[in-house]
Amino acid sequence: MRKNLLGGTALALALGIAGGATAADKVSLGLEGYYAFFGVVADQDDGAGEPGAGLREHGVLRESEVGFIGKTTLDNGITVGVDIQLQGDTVADQIDESYIFFEGAFGRIQLGSEDPAPDEMFYGAPTPIAENGVNSPTFFHAAAGANAVGSSATFVNLTSDSDKITYFTPRFHGFQLGISYTPDNTEELGFGLRPENTPAGATPQQSEVFEGAINWVGDIGDVALGLYAGYSTADLEGPAAGTGPLVGFEDQEMWGFGGALEYRGFTFGASYRWTDQGLSGSNTDRWDGNIGLTYAWGAWSVGAAYAHAEVEVGAGAGDDEMDQVEIGFTYNLGPGVDLAGGVQFVNFDSDTGGPAAENDAVIGLLGTVITF
């Protein structure tokens, strides 16, 4: 729409970068993406009332995405680009991420739907099995049942792909800062449809979200090293007029840190994240941590990773916990074509949730990931 073009022009003028742009080429979009397909077998607790009850023991699954990506460099040296990512499967959120960016000596500005700065600046454990892994995997195969943990993740990220403004500084002596601002943590609704306060019966929403991170990358001898720390904070929206107070909720906070290093084919990484989950009750915090090691030689990569997560489920109710171990391999069949597989051991435990919140699962995986 024309008003979107006007918005981009206004930003360029505000930055003093609009002059001399007419001679530059228009943005020309190219295609990038991936397609992942895996066969899965699972052995997990499936007695009456247990998380695996009535679930299939084997199956196949897929995930794919196509990115329409392009950029141009203006006569004044500013690079302007666009990134629109289309889910290859029919889902509610058909466009996964969509944003434009301006990049130059001043740093990089991103405008639109994209993960916040701490997520993009993250360093942590490597993934032994592509698209699976112990850190916010595309696929997660063990049934959590009534356990509050679910899958584990250590990315500092309160807003996911909600519309935001993000700024990254230029890198200086290996250091870079990034900050994201999300006025309203609602991804798909138009501005005029977003409620200012939480409607009656709705899940309370966090807004006015600021998310920042710092990382450092560099070499120490033969070791390539990346370190990162991130922090997010948000304001709890109040109740709509005429409705009762939002009992049990508060402003949400999240912070985390991590690092990774590479040395002669070895990659080692670890990360940690804590959040209060936006809940005001006693003993309702959550933390996640993971660690991993891979070794690559020729077309092969093998490795192992471990994750642990705990959620406090209320005063006197103890914790829900998850432990996951993954051992796997990746074999490169050719440019952009990988064969990957391995095994996962997942344990869900609960102090007070009983059999419905406890599970021991063994997962076998074999599949392929094609990138283009």
Side-chain angles (χ1 to χ4, degrees):
M1 296 177 65
R2 179 63 179 169
K3 64 181 180 180
N4 292 332
L5 296 176
L6 289 173
T9 303
L11 175 65
L13 289 171
L15 293 172
I17 62 176
T22 56
D25 294 331
K26 291 174 61 179
V27 174
S28 179
L29 294 180
L31 296 178
E32 296 181 7
Y34 70 93
Y35 194 109
F37 186 93
F38 278 86
V40 184
V41 294
D43 179 18
Q44 51 190 341
D45 294 344
D46 58 1
E50 293 180 326
L55 301 182
R56 296 187 182 277
E57 296 179 347
H58 64 277
V60 295
L61 65 166
R62 61 185 167 87
E63 164 76 8
S64 58
E65 190 171 279
V66 177
F68 301 89
I69 302 170
K71 61 183 180 181
T72 188
T73 300
L74 308 181
D75 290 350
N76 52 27
I78 302 301
T79 298
V80 182
V82 62
D83 188 337
I84 302 171
Q85 299 177 20
L86 173 68
Q87 292 280 6
D89 317 296
T90 300
V91 295
D93 188 11
Q94 198 66 59
I95 300 297
D96 183 22
E97 295 166 342
S98 174
Y99 64 92
I100 59 175
F101 65 87
F102 297 82
E103 190 169 22
F106 56 85
R108 178 181 172 103
I109 297 173
Q110 290 181 180
L111 309 171
S113 170
E114 172 62 305
D115 289 314
D119 190 295
E120 294 200 60
M121 300 174 72
F122 174 85
Y123 286 95
T127 299
I129 309 175
E131 304 303 321
N132 292 273
V134 297
N135 192 33
S136 191
T138 299
F139 304 126
F140 187 77
H141 315 284
N147 194 289
V149 174
S151 63
S152 180
T154 56
F155 298 101
V156 173
N157 186 338
L158 290 184
T159 56
S160 187
D161 297 335
S162 292
D163 293 331
K164 60 176 59 68
I165 299 170
T166 297
Y167 170 66
F168 300 98
T169 68
R171 193 168 292 280
F172 182 72
H173 292 293
F175 288 96
Q176 185 177 43
L177 297 173
I179 187 168
S180 296
Y181 168 61
T182 305
D184 186 289
N185 197 11
T186 302
E187 183 178 346
E188 301 297 344
L189 293 177
F191 177 75
L193 301 176
R194 300 178 185 180
E196 183 177 8
N197 293 302
T198 301
T203 300
Q205 180 176 291
Q206 303 282 338
S207 60
E208 298 298 321
V209 187
F210 288 90
E211 301 175 271
I214 182 172
N215 70 14
W216 180 87
V217 294
D219 296 330
I220 302 177
D222 293 335
V223 178
L225 181 63
L227 302 172
Y228 130 96
Y231 176 75
S232 297
T233 182
D235 293 339
L236 176 68
E237 291 188 348
T243 63
L246 302 178
V247 179
F249 298 92
E250 65 181 4
D251 297 344
Q252 188 169 1
E253 283 188 278
M254 180 183 290
W255 57 264
F257 56 87
L261 62 85
E262 296 181 358
Y263 176 74
R264 297 186 179 181
F266 289 95
T267 301
F268 171 80
S271 56
Y272 175 90
R273 185 187 74 179
W274 171 91
T275 176
D276 65 2
Q277 301 193 93
L279 302 175
S280 62
S282 300
N283 302 103
T284 54
D285 295 349
R286 172 178 179 141
W287 70 268
D288 298 76
N290 59 54
I291 189 171
L293 175 68
T294 60
Y295 176 67
W297 76 100
W300 287 93
S301 174
V302 297
Y306 168 73
H308 179 80
E310 293 187 14
V311 176
E312 298 174 329
V313 293
D319 300 333
D320 281 2
E321 300 182 11
M322 185 209 69
D323 291 280
Q324 178 180 349
V325 175
E326 176 174 291
I327 303 170
F329 75 92
T330 299
Y331 178 73
N332 182 245
L333 296 170
V337 183
D338 291 328
L339 178 69
V343 62
Q344 297 174 339
F345 304 91
V346 184
N347 171 261
F348 288 101
D349 193 22
S350 178
D351 289 334
T352 57
E358 298 180 345
N359 188 15
D360 283 302
V362 180
I363 312 292
L365 305 160
L366 182 63
T368 185
V369 180
I370 298 174
T371 58
F372 53 87

